[in-house]
Amino acid sequence: MASPAAGGNDLESRSMRMFLQSMPKKGFVCLFLMFGVVFTACVVAGILGPPITDSQCPTEPNSGGECVPVDFTRMNAAWIGNITNLDKLNQQLYLVMSVELPPDHGGGKWENVTIWQRSYGHRVDPNDPSKIDTTDAVPRGAHNYTIECPPGGGACANITLVHFPFIAFTNYTIMITVPETNGAPLEQVKFNFVFRDHKFTLFELWFRFAFLLLTFVAIIVFAHKLRHYRWTDWQVEQKWTAFILFGLMAANNPFFPLEILVASWFPVFLDQVLMVTFLCMLLLFWLIMFDGVRKDAVQRSLLKFYLPKVFLVAMIWVVQLTVFAWQEIHLLQNPQYDELRDDPNFLVMMVTMLVLLVVYLFWMVYVVARACLESKTYPLLGVRIRFFGLFTLAVIVTLVGGLLFAAFGPVHNNAAEFLAEIALLNLYVYVLAFVYLPAKTSFVARTARAGADKIGMVAFEDEGDDSLEEIDH
């Protein structure tokens, strides 16, 4: 029989030994070096890649190719703009209005400026270009806007007047009128069509497909390496890494081409659902890992261990999707929709989200502190917790830093924003899948135990496990 000391260390001695626990220090250095090199290569590829959006300013025949401003202070002034040769690869279309001021203007803020707009979509028959089918893309309607201009002249804050979330027509015509300016300085108004760049769409398609294929290969390899082991023999890391691998495949979105091919809001919503689901799976994964790695299967009961965590993360998932759907529905009706300004009830959703995230953060701090305290007792457990904790923290800091740089940094409209995020999440899961593969000693020990069971021998104790590992080495 095992000694009491060995019984206290049962979680380590009885569990499957992973590659993480047998990897030398040089192996860790090479692994993280490879991770850094591949991630840096993806960022560089994004920087050198195409811009996310392109713009086009409608011009007049005698304007010399320059945007001609419109003076809406004149009676019956109107702007009519056309954009042609769009296709599915452009994905989305915006009409952005910019107001320019003279250098000596004092700036100001003008509210409730009513702007009327009407949009037509034109389909050209590919067999007969003279046949054009014209449809109301957006019926005539008006919205009130707020125009904010800084002092000292220059340009006012841009205003998005029209947003088409998918391209349903090859050509568009948009008419803008401002019956009453309410004192706003609308003497120099320019308009720009903004749409997704063709090259970026192809860039996004290829990289999404590449990561989707790599994730599929990772799932096959992970399942192949663990095929000799019963599910009950898997470590908690291995069980949840398998779970996260399937979530990652969903986040890479095998249905992404539908966003380009289908003129509907559903593929866009599906993409958001899959990404939010994966991020919530990561939140659940982190919470279970830090709390479950120090417990055996008996202690990880469904009601006391899993259910509270699943309930909290499910609440976060529901609120996130509700917020996204709320925003998208209103933005389709009014591209200048501001949640906090136009809908006070939206504040309730944001406060709910904040409270749930604070609860999650405090729970995470608690389980991390408990895991760190117990890791000092069991050396192998300490290796697992330190690796997972430090690696996850580094990835989170990198991800948050990248998002802040994308929002406030000097570089915008660059493919690096997209590629860095998707590469970081994929590489993070790939590294976890690699280090959580079973070590060779685990297969030797399992084979020996299976043979002992067949001939009626008593299962090996802790000393037997150590001997097997020494023989393997």
Side-chain angles (χ1 to χ4, degrees):
M1 296 293 293
S3 65
N9 201 18
D10 187 65
L11 183 62
E12 290 186 13
S13 61
R14 300 296 180 187
S15 57
M16 184 195 309
R17 191 175 179 88
M18 298 178 294
F19 191 47
L20 168 69
Q21 296 161 312
S22 61
M23 186 185 299
K25 292 183 178 180
K26 292 182 179 180
F28 282 105
V29 172
C30 292
L31 179 64
F32 288 121
L33 183 62
M34 185 178 299
F35 175 87
V37 169
V38 175
F39 176 69
T40 303
C42 290
V43 173
V44 173
I47 294 174
L48 299 178
I52 297 176
T53 60
D54 198 358
S55 62
Q56 177 181 321
C57 178
T59 60
E60 295 183 359
N62 299 322
S63 64
E66 296 182 359
C67 293
V68 177
V70 181
D71 184 0
F72 282 108
T73 60
R74 293 188 293 107
M75 184 68 67
N76 299 323
W79 177 85
I80 300 177
N82 299 284
I83 184 169
T84 60
N85 299 322
L86 294 175
D87 58 31
K88 300 293 186 180
L89 293 178
N90 293 120
Q91 296 192 50
Q92 302 181 53
L93 177 65
Y94 298 85
L95 179 66
V96 179
M97 184 181 83
S98 59
V99 180
E100 297 183 355
L101 301 177
D104 57 345
H105 197 281
K109 181 178 181 180
W110 295 267
E111 298 180 345
N112 297 321
V113 178
T114 303
I115 299 178
W116 286 83
Q117 54 197 3
R118 186 170 187 176
S119 303
Y120 299 95
H122 312 285
R123 286 193 181 93
V124 180
D125 190 339
N127 299 321
D128 187 358
S130 62
K131 292 183 179 180
I132 300 177
D133 179 25
T134 300
T135 308
D136 266 344
V138 178
R140 187 172 186 268
H143 293 284
N144 293 328
Y145 298 93
T146 298
I147 299 177
E148 298 184 51
C149 305
C156 302
N158 290 340
I159 297 176
T160 302
L161 299 180
V162 179
H163 172 216
F164 296 104
F166 43 83
I167 302 298
F169 304 94
T170 54
N171 304 337
Y172 285 87
T173 299
I174 301 178
M175 182 172 63
I176 303 294
T177 57
V178 186
E180 295 291 338
T181 62
N182 290 345
L186 301 181
E187 293 88 357
Q188 297 283 324
V189 181
K190 294 183 178 180
F191 296 89
N192 269 295
F193 288 109
V194 180
F195 45 87
R196 287 291 179 95
D197 189 277
H198 270 86
K199 294 180 180 178
F200 174 76
T201 300
L202 295 174
F203 182 88
E204 184 179 12
L205 274 170
W206 279 111
F207 272 97
R208 279 181 177 269
F209 175 74
F211 282 116
L212 181 66
L213 183 62
L214 288 174
T215 304
F216 178 75
V217 172
I219 291 175
I220 297 300
V221 172
F222 195 76
H224 179 75
K225 291 292 185 180
L226 285 162
R227 72 190 187 282
H228 296 296
Y229 303 89
R230 295 172 298 181
W231 175 257
T232 53
D233 293 333
W234 288 28
Q235 296 273 29
V236 63
E237 293 98 325
Q238 294 167 328
K239 294 178 180 179
W240 285 95
T241 298
F243 178 67
I244 289 297
L245 278 169
F246 283 100
L248 180 63
M249 175 169 281
N252 288 324
N253 194 1
F255 308 105
F256 175 73
L258 292 179
E259 291 189 35
I260 302 171
L261 300 175
V262 180
S264 171
W265 58 268
F266 180 73
V268 179
F269 180 71
L270 178 62
D271 181 67
Q272 188 68 22
V273 169
L274 294 176
M275 179 54 72
V276 170
T277 301
F278 173 68
L279 294 178
C280 287
M281 288 171 66
L282 281 180
L283 294 180
L284 180 63
F285 174 58
W286 295 335
L287 202 58
I288 287 176
M289 279 291 298
F290 283 113
D291 197 23
V293 73
R294 57 191 176 84
K295 298 178 180 179
D296 57 27
V298 176
Q299 294 174 302
R300 297 194 298 269
S301 63
L302 176 62
L303 292 178
K304 293 184 179 180
F305 182 82
Y306 287 111
L307 190 59
K309 298 177 178 65
V310 172
F311 178 77
L312 175 61
V313 175
M315 290 293 295
I316 296 175
W317 181 82
V318 170
V319 173
Q320 281 184 322
L321 286 184
T322 303
V323 168
F324 173 77
W326 193 317
Q327 290 174 321
E328 287 300 308
I329 290 173
H330 286 86
L331 285 174
L332 286 174
Q333 300 172 351
N334 178 14
Q336 204 61 20
Y337 171 75
D338 185 285
E339 299 85 2
L340 298 179
R341 181 194 65 200
D342 299 334
D343 197 341
N345 295 325
F346 187 81
L347 184 62
V348 177
M349 301 300 299
M350 297 305 295
V351 171
T352 303
M353 172 65 76
L354 182 62
V355 170
L356 291 173
L357 291 177
V358 169
V359 172
Y360 177 88
L361 182 62
F362 276 105
W363 197 348
M364 177 63 71
V365 171
Y366 170 74
V367 296
V368 169
R370 288 288 304 273
C372 291
L373 289 175
E374 294 196 20
S375 68
K376 296 179 181 179
T377 306
Y378 309 131
L380 292 180
L381 186 62
V383 172
R384 294 160 62 184
I385 293 175
R386 284 196 301 272
F387 168 81
F388 182 76
L390 294 176
F391 182 48
T392 300
L393 179 62
V395 169
I396 293 175
V397 169
T398 304
L399 183 60
V400 173
L403 294 175
L404 293 176
F405 182 81
F408 305 105
V411 180
H412 297 282
N413 193 27
N414 194 281
E417 301 175 22
F418 153 76
L419 193 53
E421 177 183 351
I422 191 175
L424 186 63
L425 293 176
N426 277 272
L427 293 175
Y428 169 70
V429 178
Y430 297 159
V431 170
L432 293 182
F434 174 74
V435 298
Y436 292 149
L437 291 174
K440 292 182 179 179
T441 53
S442 294
F443 182 70
V444 174
R446 180 187 178 281
T447 305
R449 286 193 179 98
D453 291 340
K454 289 180 180 179
I455 61 176
M457 293 176 61
V458 178
F460 289 114
E461 298 294 346
D462 297 336
E463 294 81 6
D465 290 341
D466 296 336
S467 301
L468 286 169
E469 293 177 7
E470 292 173 2
I471 293 172
D472 184 77
H473 290 296

